[in-house]
Amino acid sequence: MTDVMIDLETYSTLPNAAILTLGAVKFNREDDCKKIEDMEVFYRKIDLDSNTNRHIDENTVEWWKKQSIEAKNEALGPGGIKLKKALKEFSNWYGESNCIWSHGDDFDTVIISDAMRNCNVEIPWKFYETRDTRTLFDLAKVYNYQLPQASKHHALYDCHRQIAGVLMALRKLKL
């Protein structure tokens, strides 16, 4: 069984947020947490100008200004590709995975689904295949300080941190 953890860095918190980066990591719930270098990953920086009709929120722009220079350079620096191209590549990479996870049920999967519909890219998962880390962490009493802290606000490392939390929660709940 292959699950996928996604994480987005965005310029808004609305469902039609402009997407800055898209990170995803495949994992198996039955395995131990591997080093990110040993996992199958997907990562794309998105060209902000290609976020046609996507929302940019001034409060989120201000929030980004307060983040580390590394996080800002990664999310906002040059080298992004067109949003539609990134979404198509992600959909192909996702393939026959079983479930898609994100940190909360009302952010990453909602935003990427909206972007896919907006860009006429087929969503590769069914609505009932979405999973939410925050609910699982709450039930298992898994706290952020217990998880790897590398490269906060880097979509790929945020995915890895969330996978570590999912696997810890499943073990604590004996699932």
Side-chain angles (χ1 to χ4, degrees), residues 69-115:
I69 191 77
E70 295 84 9
K72 285 189 285 195
N73 286 343
E74 186 57 37
L76 301 166
I81 67 170
K82 302 280 185 203
L83 177 61
K84 185 171 185 170
K85 178 177 173 41
L87 295 172
K88 283 181 176 179
E89 290 175 358
F90 172 71
S91 183
N92 289 335
W93 176 86
Y94 185 89
E96 299 297 318
S97 299
N98 300 97
C99 293
I100 188 161
W101 289 79
S102 65
H103 196 53
D105 66 345
D106 63 350
F107 193 76
D108 303 271
T109 54
V110 172
I111 293 170
I112 196 170
S113 294
D114 183 78

Side-chain angles (χ1 to χ4, degrees), residues 43-99:
Y43 182 76
R44 299 292 185 275
K45 290 175 70 167
I46 311 298
D47 172 29
L48 186 58
D49 292 336
S50 72
N51 276 269
T52 309
N53 300 319
R54 309 294 302 163
H55 186 256
I56 296 175
D57 174 67
E58 287 307 314
N59 291 327
T60 307
V61 171
E62 288 302 313
W63 178 86
W64 270 108
K65 289 178 182 177
K66 298 173 187 165
Q67 301 313 303
S68 72
I69 191 77
E70 295 84 9
K72 285 189 285 195
N73 286 343
E74 186 57 37
L76 301 166
I81 67 170
K82 302 280 185 203
L83 177 61
K84 185 171 185 170
K85 178 177 173 41
L87 295 172
K88 283 181 176 179
E89 290 175 358
F90 172 71
S91 183
N92 289 335
W93 176 86
Y94 185 89
E96 299 297 318
S97 299
N98 300 97
C99 293

Side-chain angles (χ1 to χ4, degrees), residues 1-174:
M1 181 171 204
T2 301
D3 289 23
V4 171
M5 181 69 69
I6 66 163
D7 189 79
L8 304 175
E9 299 302 332
T10 66
Y11 242 3
S12 173
T13 59
L14 295 181
N16 63 336
I19 300 172
L20 304 172
T21 62
L22 162 58
V25 179
K26 290 183 179 179
F27 70 103
N28 185 320
R29 295 181 213 177
E30 313 273 317
D31 290 345
D32 292 326
C33 192
K34 301 174 184 176
K35 293 188 293 187
I36 197 163
E37 298 82 12
D38 298 329
M39 301 176 87
E40 189 176 345
V41 302
F42 179 91
Y43 182 76
R44 299 292 185 275
K45 290 175 70 167
I46 311 298
D47 172 29
L48 186 58
D49 292 336
S50 72
N51 276 269
T52 309
N53 300 319
R54 309 294 302 163
H55 186 256
I56 296 175
D57 174 67
E58 287 307 314
N59 291 327
T60 307
V61 171
E62 288 302 313
W63 178 86
W64 270 108
K65 289 178 182 177
K66 298 173 187 165
Q67 301 313 303
S68 72
I69 191 77
E70 295 84 9
K72 285 189 285 195
N73 286 343
E74 186 57 37
L76 301 166
I81 67 170
K82 302 280 185 203
L83 177 61
K84 185 171 185 170
K85 178 177 173 41
L87 295 172
K88 283 181 176 179
E89 290 175 358
F90 172 71
S91 183
N92 289 335
W93 176 86
Y94 185 89
E96 299 297 318
S97 299
N98 300 97
C99 293
I100 188 161
W101 289 79
S102 65
H103 196 53
D105 66 345
D106 63 350
F107 193 76
D108 303 271
T109 54
V110 172
I111 293 170
I112 196 170
S113 294
D114 183 78
M116 287 178 148
R117 282 189 291 277
N118 186 254
C119 291
N120 295 313
V121 174
E122 186 175 344
I123 299 169
W125 59 86
K126 306 289 187 232
F127 71 93
Y128 53 83
E129 294 174 335
T130 60
R131 301 293 182 265
D132 166 33
T133 61
R134 285 194 178 121
T135 302
L136 182 61
F137 293 179
D138 181 53
L139 293 172
K141 297 185 181 346
V142 169
Y143 303 103
N144 191 47
Y145 72 86
Q146 297 172 303
L147 304 177
Q149 299 299 313
S151 301
K152 288 185 179 180
H153 307 302
H154 184 296
L156 204 54
Y157 292 95
D158 288 350
C159 285
H160 186 255
R161 179 176 18 269
Q162 291 155 199
I163 290 168
V166 165
L167 298 176
M168 181 187 298
L170 293 174
R171 306 283 179 289
K172 284 178 93 172
L173 294 170
K174 299 182 182 1

